[in-house]
Amino acid sequence: MQLNGVEYNEYHDPGLHAQAREPIGIYTAKAFLWMFLGLLTTFAVAFFGYATGTILYVFAIPYFHIVLLVVELGVVMFLSARLHKLRVGTARALFFVYAAINGVVFSAYFLIFSMLSLILVFAMTAVYFGAMALYGYRTKTDLSRIRPILVGGLIFLIVCGLLSLFLPLGAVDRVVCLIGVAIFLAFTAYDTQKIRTLYNAYQYDQTMLERASIYSALELYLDFINLFLYLLRFLGKNKK
C-alpha cells in the first residue's frame, strides 16, 4: 500500500505495540533537525563558493548549470522513488549530496543580490516558514484536502518558470512570485502535518520511521528553499 507516494506495510503485529517508538513531538523535531542540517549544508557550500571565488570558475564551464539541474532532479527523483528500499545511511547521504549541489547553485545569488538583502529575506522566510509549520503541526483540520490545489499550483509555477526562459514576463513575474509564496507556505503546513501521517503508519517500524523522517526533511527543505527563492525574487535588491 502507498501513503502520499511512499510504500508501507499496512500490517502491524499487535505484540509490537509494547515497543512503540519515540513520541510524535520528538520525531517531528528530528525531521526538522535534518531539514535544518540540510539548509546549513546548502548555505555553507554557497558561501564558501562565493567567498573563495570558486563559483566564478565553476560557472565558467559551458552548460555546467544545466548539468547541476539534471543531477539535482535525478537525486530527488531517485530518493523519492527508492526511499522505502534504501538503507537509512544511503538516504541521508543522498539528502546531503542534494543539499550540497544546491549550495553550488546558490553561490550565484551572492553575486546577484546584496548581502543585506539575502539576510533579510532569509530571516523573513524563517519567520513565515516557522509560523506555517507550527500551524500544520497544531491544526486539527485535514490539510490533505488541499493537495490537488497545491499540485495544480506547483504545475502552474513550473509552466511559468519554463515560459520565463523564453519570454519576458515583466510585471507578471511579481504576481507569479506572490503565488509561489502562497503555494509554498501552504505546502509547509501540509508537509508538516504529513509527518504525523507517516509517523502513524510506521511507528512500530524503526527503520521505516527513519526513512520517512528523511523523506519529510527533504520535503520541508524544498518548501523552505522555494519559499526563500520566491521571496528573494519579489523583495531582493540586486547589487549595484
Side-chain angles (χ1 to χ4, degrees):
M1 183 175 179
Q2 286 195 339
L3 177 67
N4 291 316
V6 179
E7 186 176 316
Y8 75 101
N9 188 349
E10 198 175 28
Y11 173 76
H12 296 302
D13 185 344
L16 292 177
H17 282 259
Q19 304 174 19
R21 302 300 177 178
E22 58 199 358
I24 179 63
I26 295 177
Y27 178 74
T28 302
K30 286 185 177 180
F32 275 89
L33 175 61
W34 286 117
M35 179 214 73
F36 173 76
L37 293 176
L39 289 174
L40 190 61
T41 300
T42 294
F43 287 104
V45 171
F47 185 75
F48 175 82
Y50 167 71
T52 61
T54 305
I55 189 61
L56 298 175
Y57 297 99
V58 169
F59 280 96
I61 302 174
Y63 305 109
F64 189 74
H65 62 290
I66 297 178
V67 174
L68 285 177
L69 177 61
V70 172
V71 173
E72 282 187 303
L73 290 174
V75 171
V76 169
M77 291 175 65
F78 181 80
L79 186 56
S80 299
R82 304 285 297 178
L83 183 63
H84 61 287
K85 295 182 179 179
L86 290 173
R87 291 186 176 183
V88 173
T90 302
R92 284 176 181 161
L94 285 173
F95 172 62
F96 283 108
V97 166
Y98 175 79
I101 295 173
N102 216 23
V104 177
V105 176
F106 265 59
S107 294
Y109 292 107
F110 284 97
L111 301 174
I112 299 171
F113 297 95
S114 70
M115 186 65 70
L116 178 60
S117 183
L118 288 169
I119 293 173
L120 290 176
V121 172
F122 181 85
M124 185 179 297
T125 302
V127 171
Y128 288 165
F129 179 89
M132 293 307 295
L134 182 61
Y135 171 76
Y137 181 74
R138 295 290 187 182
T139 186
K140 301 300 181 182
T141 304
D142 182 10
L143 298 180
S144 65
R145 294 180 296 181
I146 67 172
R147 187 174 186 276
I149 299 174
L150 296 179
V151 172
L154 188 58
I155 293 173
F156 169 79
L157 294 174
I158 292 173
V159 171
C160 288
L162 292 175
L163 287 177
S164 68
L165 297 176
F166 306 100
L167 300 172
L169 297 181
V172 176
D173 184 64
R174 296 185 66 79
V175 176
V176 172
C177 287
L178 288 175
I179 294 174
V181 169
I183 290 297
F184 284 104
L185 283 174
F187 258 121
T188 298
Y190 169 78
D191 288 332
T192 301
Q193 188 180 77
K194 194 164 74 173
I195 294 175
R196 184 181 296 274
T197 303
L198 293 172
Y199 174 84
N200 290 335
Y202 301 130
Q203 61 181 312
Y204 303 111
D205 185 336
Q206 183 63 22
T207 300
M208 282 307 303
L209 262 184
E210 292 181 4
R211 290 170 177 163
S213 178
I214 299 166
Y215 178 75
S216 297
L218 175 62
E219 290 189 317
L220 293 168
Y221 171 93
L222 292 172
D223 293 339
F224 189 101
I225 289 294
N226 281 286
L227 180 58
F228 172 78
L229 290 176
Y230 279 110
L231 283 171
L232 188 62
R233 281 170 55 184
F234 188 75
L235 300 172
K237 302 295 183 181
N238 293 353
K239 286 184 175 180
K240 296 181 181 179

